[in-house]
Structures are given as structure tokens and as C-alpha cells.
Amino acid sequence: MTLSIRPANPARPDFVGEASGVDIRAGVSAAEAAAIEEGMDRYGVLVFRGQDIDDAQQVAFSRHFGPLELATGDIVQGQARRLSMEVNDISNLHQDGSVMARDDRKRLFSLGNMLWHSDSSFKATPAKFSLLSARVIPGQDGNTEFADMRAAWDALDPAMQAQVRDLVTEHSQIYSRGVLGFTDFTAEELAKWAPVPQRLVRRHPRTGRLSLFLSAHAGAIQGWPVPEARALLRDLTEHATQREFVHAHVWQPHDLVMWDNRVTMHRARRYDSTQVRDLHRTTVADMAPTLQQAA
Ligand code: OGA
Ligand code: MN
């Protein structure tokens, strides 16, 4: 079978594609990887069903799209990690496979994923693609939602576009967790996750399209009073996450969903936290800090 991609929702033909005819476990050719990257240019998010892969296969597939980030944004580091440093642990599990208690620190930190965000926007060089593999999912709920930040930019009125076009924001995990009242950081974490600057509007290097670069990690705008900055960031986020720009992915076991963090935001939805939810994420790094990329 050859690779083909069709819109997940025919009413929105340029956002979220469903790919078929590819076996990620067997490995893909350079030509298939190039076709997948072209699909990412068009759709921003691609869904691959029925990919029963392990971490090594996921890492090998992900490397076709660039060098991988290390999971330095996870709150569990060192010997206590369940997965290797190339894999972000998007689960509610302890190292021994047991489900975390409601008040577990890692669980409370990971609830930040329920806020609309772009992965690793708190890193100086943020993420290009994220690839999330569903290993075990709860019987219901726990969808992941995606918002199209190109469509959100296109729909802003020209006066607002002109006002925000050249703004520079500051992103930190300390801000995003603080929104939920999680402030329990060590001195080492506070230093490691100091704010980094990001463009608010960016241009995709291959398609040339502009998009809003928003994230729950954004907590300031350079040169602006903080409350005014946060009010604007909230307004823009509200605009960008209207239902017309949003797609909800309903997980099946062995789904692999891949998204372009440069042109989308995403968020996790609630589920029964006594059930196992185990997803593994690999993350392809962007080329450079957004301020060093063409505007
Ligand atoms: C992520 C993430 C959302 C989810 O993996 O980066 O935000 O639904 N996941 O688990
Ligand atoms: Mn995420």
C-alpha cells in the first residue's frame, strides 16, 4: 500500500489529516518521510491509526524529521524516570506501573497539559514536531484537542494583526503551572525554567504562512505591563481556540498523532484518573530560537 492522506474532517480540508498505507513499525523510506512532511505542511496535524510501536521504533521514525529534543521539561528526572530521555512521559504512572495518587506532584504538574499550549515553547529553541503514541488509553474521555493557529491568524482583523505582528513574548513553565496554582518548584527548577523570548507571530519556513505563536507558557510581552500583556494573551487565546479552529482527537490504542507546534496549539481533556492513560511523546527540535528565524 502507498501512503495517502485525507482530511479528518472534509468541512475543514486543510487541518488534521488521516494518513494510511504506512507501517511505522517496519520503518519508512526517505521518500515516505518527505511525503509525510509535505502532509504536515498542509494539515498541521496527522493521525496514523494502528501503529503498534515501541519506543525505539518511535524514536527511529521521529528522527526522519530532525534532531530530537531531550525530555528536560519533564518534572521527573534522573533515576526516577520511567522512560528514556528521548521520550516524554505523558502518563499517570509511577516507574513501577502503578497509577499515581490524586495529589501526586508529577500528576499535578502534568495537569498543565490541560491548558492550551505549544510544546517546549518554554525552551529557547522550541519544538518543531511532537509525536504522541497511545500505548494504553482510558475507556472514555481524555481526548486531545488541536487548534489551527494559521486559521486563527488569518481570521484576526487587520488592525489587530498590525498591533501584534512584531511583539515578543516571554515563556516559562513557571507561568503555565502558576495559572493552575502549582507553585511547588525547587530552586533548581526555577533556575532551569527561567523565561525565554518568543515571537508572537511566526512564519512557517516551508509554506510561508503566518501563524499566532501562543501557549499557556506565555506570561509576558516585552515592553508591556504584565497585567495588560496577560489580558491580551488571554484574548488572543480565546480567539484562536474558538470551535471553528479546533479538532478533537478521540484516541484509540496504537494511534500515533503528530503535530507541528509552530502552527498549532493543543490541550489534554479530563478523564477518570484512577484508570491508566499511557502515552509516549517524542519531540523534534526546531532549528533555532524564533527570534533568529525569518519573520
Ligand atoms: C503532550 C500533551 C496532551 C494529552 O503530549 O505534549 O500535551 O492529551 N498531551 O495528553
Ligand atoms: Mn503538549
Side-chain angles (χ1 to χ4, degrees):
M1 246 179 100
T2 54
L3 173 74
S4 74
I5 306 175
R6 58 177 182 77
N9 174 2
R12 216 194 270 117
D14 291 316
F15 187 50
V16 188
E18 288 239 8
S20 56
V22 53
D23 181 353
I24 293 171
R25 180 160 54 176
V28 302
S29 65
E32 282 174 310
I36 291 168
E37 183 127 12
E38 276 169 29
M40 290 295 283
D41 290 343
R42 169 166 171 191
Y43 291 103
V45 182
L46 289 179
V47 175
F48 302 82
R49 305 274 189 190
Q51 306 293 330
D52 184 4
I53 51 173
D54 63 21
D55 286 359
Q57 290 155 346
Q58 184 172 344
V59 164
F61 177 65
S62 303
R63 284 215 175 101
H64 282 282
F65 308 103
L68 300 193
E69 275 188 2
L70 297 182
T72 53
D74 277 1
I75 201 151
V76 178
Q77 292 293 329
Q79 291 303 307
R81 286 185 61 80
R82 197 171 67 96
L83 307 177
S84 82
M85 276 307 281
E86 280 168 319
V87 185
N88 279 83
D89 189 354
I90 311 294
S91 80
N92 58 348
L93 301 177
H94 288 294
Q95 214 169 22
D96 68 1
S98 60
V99 173
M100 289 175 175
R102 190 171 189 180
D103 63 353
D104 185 275
R105 183 169 185 264
K106 175 186 181 280
R107 173 174 181 269
L108 298 181
F109 178 82
S110 72
L111 293 182
N113 280 344
M114 296 181 70
L115 305 177
W116 286 107
H117 65 282
S118 176
D119 286 334
S120 298
S121 72
F122 57 85
K123 294 184 180 177
T125 294
K128 177 188 174 189
F129 295 163
S130 291
L131 300 94
L132 189 58
S133 160
R135 307 298 172 85
V136 182
I137 53 167
Q140 57 181 29
D141 302 327
N143 294 347
T144 304
E145 293 184 342
F146 296 91
D148 185 346
M149 305 302 284
R150 309 161 299 182
W153 166 261
D154 292 344
L156 275 185
D157 73 71
M160 182 59 104
Q161 287 183 336
Q163 200 188 346
V164 304
R165 182 70 178 85
D166 297 316
L167 294 178
V168 177
T169 53
E170 300 268 344
H171 293 233
S172 167
Q173 295 213 97
I174 313 298
Y175 295 143
S176 50
R177 271 51 193 183
V179 171
L180 294 185
F182 183 103
T183 53
D184 169 22
F185 291 105
T186 64
E188 190 190 341
E189 288 162 353
L190 289 171
K192 176 167 77 167
W193 292 328
V196 299
Q198 303 291 2
R199 279 187 204 287
L200 181 54
V201 181
R202 56 189 305 191
R203 188 182 290 285
H204 192 283
R206 284 162 56 98
T207 69
R209 283 189 75 178
L210 295 176
S211 56
L212 278 173
F213 190 45
L214 292 168
S215 187
H217 307 305
I221 297 173
Q222 288 184 357
W224 283 43
V226 168
E228 194 179 352
R230 292 198 185 176
L232 175 65
L233 292 168
R234 236 177 221 251
D235 254 17
L236 291 171
T237 301
E238 203 175 295
H239 161 77
T241 57
Q242 296 174 82
R243 298 322 285 181
E244 61 183 298
F245 306 131
V246 170
H247 175 87
H249 178 71
V250 181
W251 290 98
Q252 295 172 14
H254 309 317
D255 282 353
L256 180 95
V257 179
M258 179 172 175
W259 61 89
D260 186 337
N261 288 289
R262 300 168 298 185
V263 301
T264 59
M265 282 203 290
H266 61 280
R267 66 172 177 179
R269 303 298 278 153
R270 284 174 68 84
Y271 66 99
D272 173 359
S273 65
T274 65
Q275 292 193 34
V276 175
R277 186 175 190 267
D278 184 12
L279 299 103
H280 294 201
R281 195 189 87 205
T282 41
T283 316
V284 178
D286 203 351
M287 297 160 343
T290 52
L291 284 169
Q292 290 172 28
Q293 298 179 29

